[in-house]
Amino acid sequence: MKKSRYSIFSLAGNAVSAHRHWDVAWRSPPPAPEYDVVIVGGGGHGLATAYYLAREYDVGRIAVLEKGWIGGGNTGRNTTIVRSNYLWDEAAHLYEKSLQLWEGLSQELNYNVMFSQRGVLNLGHTLQDMRDIVRRSSANRLNGIDSEVLSPADIKALVPAINISAEARYPVLGASFQPRGGVARHDAVAWGFARAADRHGVDIIENCEVTGIRREGDRVTGADTSRGFIRAAKVAVVAAGHSSVIADMAGLRMPLESHPLQALVSEPLKPVLDTVVMSNAVHGYVSQSDKGELVIGAGIDAYNGYGQRGSFSIIEGNVAAIVELFPVFSRVRMLRQWGGIVDVCPDACPIISKTPVKGLYFNCGWGTGGFKATPGSGWVFAHTVANDAPHPLNAPFALERFTSGALIDEHGAAGVAH
Ligand code: FAD
Ligand code: PYC
């Protein structure tokens, strides 16, 4: 009888075997000279694309090329907030599809991505903030998305540690609340999709940097990499902050700016916060991880750059905002700080699109908010690559919107100051 990889016996065996003889989570094959589809970027979006492509469509051999390690980009650097409370129908439908996929993802991948629907609050601090919140919340409900408008007293009942004093520099006047929003374990998402894609025959190739995109006339023919040329009829680029660098290799110009976005975590605390709190106005958001760390994030660093660090002044302002909202955190020590590089579009919405080069596709521009979209993004991009045509959910997010003018302005719902 074939030994089950995931039986209770194998789990018990692994527990007593001092972590030896475990099955590898995914293979590490050398790159083949040719694939039918090459996906550039082994973050959550690239891996989800590979998984849904291999599971849903008969497209032949697929490889994911990652210059570093799986999930080492923004996927492993973000603050893991998941929600679907976007203003415009196009964005709301896309993010809500993703949220619905999150709700079954651990079962789907047979991998615990620790999706925790603890609710997400978006605070308002001015009359105009509150008008925007009421409008967005109504729009959400019209789209069947759960959303409530809370008063300061409601917020205090939900988050006892928060400061709702009218004396605060930016007093809390209310919030939108999405109960189905929450957080997930970011690296588990990458590992879960990687393992599931591998089981469907996808080659995941780490330490393989794409250094050039080759084309013959208006058709893509493959990618030059640090491990040699790889021929492919279709190349799907999902490289987040480095998308415009790769577009440049293909002779394309993307309407993107790359910025650092920072986050930090504190020493572990006893449970004190079981809801996600975000404030666009004061540039801060905070949740508490299952390990007890406060996970805190900031607005983007305003300059362009590729250094995964960010500047101290942003962190200083960020921590000041969090302490004003939560004076009880003022003596908590911070353990680690880091930055990721986010690819920001003029309308704060993604590009999920064919390009003028036949067989070359881009999925990028998620900016500060793509983690929540990981499964939905992979779902629609797989459709786009397999059919050479967008899924109805991502049709509005094509490159053409920057020439037609049909922008989808989601700066207000981005939740993070751009
Ligand atoms: P990535 O995970 O960055 O994957 C792209 C991959 O491409 C990388 O692994 C990179 O190494 C690889 N790559 C690049 N160039 C090449 C090349 N030439 N060859 C081969 N591989 C290449 N979003 C939310 O929804 N909620 C949040 O709370 C949130 N918080 C954030 C906090 C921070 C600090 C940051 C930085 C981002 C945050 N985001 C959040 C945004 C979110 O992280 C991203 O939108 C999302 O993770 C993008 O996923 P990805 O798979 O496209 O990118
Ligand atoms: O998009 O919800 C979001 C987000 C939170 C922190 C960074 N991005």
Side-chain angles (χ1 to χ4, degrees), residues 81-88 91-100 120 136 140 143-146 178 180-182 372 410 413:
I81 298 172
V82 174
R83 57 191 173 85
S84 62
N85 54 356
Y86 282 73
L87 176 66
W88 297 104
H93 294 157
L94 179 62
Y95 287 102
E96 177 57 21
K97 168 70 184 173
S98 199
L99 183 44
Q100 288 170 10
V120 175
R136 187 154 53 87
N140 289 162
N143 273 319
I145 294 170
D146 56 321
Q178 184 175 23
R180 285 166 60 244
K372 68 176 77 64
E410 287 290 359

Side-chain angles (χ1 to χ4, degrees), residues 8 35 50 62 69 86 91 113 131 145 153-154 188 196 217 231 268 277 292 304-305 308 345 371 381 403:
I8 187 106
Y35 291 91
I62 304 168
W69 65 95
Y86 282 73
V113 300
R131 287 186 181 130
I145 294 170
D154 298 331
R231 183 170 289 280
V277 180
N304 300 138
Q308 290 173 314
C345 256
F371 178 71
F381 199 41
T403 42

Side-chain angles (χ1 to χ4, degrees), residues 1-198:
M1 196 178 80
K2 197 168 176 295
K3 192 176 146 238
S4 158
R5 284 175 190 276
Y6 307 117
S7 72
I8 187 106
F9 300 109
S10 70
L11 207 61
N14 284 333
V16 293
S17 70
H19 290 198
R20 280 174 287 129
H21 314 306
W22 284 36
D23 285 344
V24 293
W26 57 87
R27 299 161 299 125
S28 289
E34 181 165 2
Y35 291 91
D36 296 285
V37 181
V38 153
I39 294 168
V40 182
H45 289 225
L47 293 163
T49 304
Y51 168 69
Y52 291 117
L53 250 185
R55 200 196 70 177
E56 298 286 319
Y57 305 97
D58 189 14
V59 292
R61 295 200 64 191
I62 304 168
V64 176
L65 310 182
E66 166 53 49
K67 74 173 174 181
W69 65 95
I70 292 306
N74 290 345
T75 297
R77 293 166 183 270
N78 75 87
T79 48
T80 80
I81 298 172
V82 174
R83 57 191 173 85
S84 62
N85 54 356
Y86 282 73
L87 176 66
W88 297 104
D89 293 354
E90 296 87 340
H93 294 157
L94 179 62
Y95 287 102
E96 177 57 21
K97 168 70 184 173
S98 199
L99 183 44
Q100 288 170 10
L101 289 171
W102 277 110
E103 287 173 327
L105 199 59
S106 292
Q107 288 81 359
E108 163 77 28
L109 300 178
N110 188 24
Y111 202 101
N112 187 2
V113 300
M114 297 170 70
F115 181 46
S116 161
Q117 291 178 290
R118 58 186 64 179
V120 175
L121 282 164
N122 289 91
L123 303 180
H125 302 272
T126 64
L127 186 56
Q128 187 57 42
D129 275 358
M130 290 313 300
R131 287 186 181 130
D132 292 343
I133 280 173
V134 170
R135 177 179 180 220
R136 187 154 53 87
S137 199
S138 305
N140 289 162
R141 286 198 301 277
L142 286 170
N143 273 319
I145 294 170
D146 56 321
S147 179
E148 299 161 30
V149 177
L150 302 190
S151 68
D154 298 331
I155 298 167
K156 187 75 181 167
L158 205 57
V159 184
I162 203 167
N163 173 21
I164 56 163
S165 159
E167 305 309 315
R169 186 160 48 129
Y170 298 101
V172 174
L173 300 187
S176 68
F177 182 55
Q178 184 175 23
R180 285 166 60 244
V183 289
R185 170 82 198 188
H186 48 16
D187 37 20
V189 176
W191 299 335
F193 271 120
R195 190 179 71 166
D198 174 89

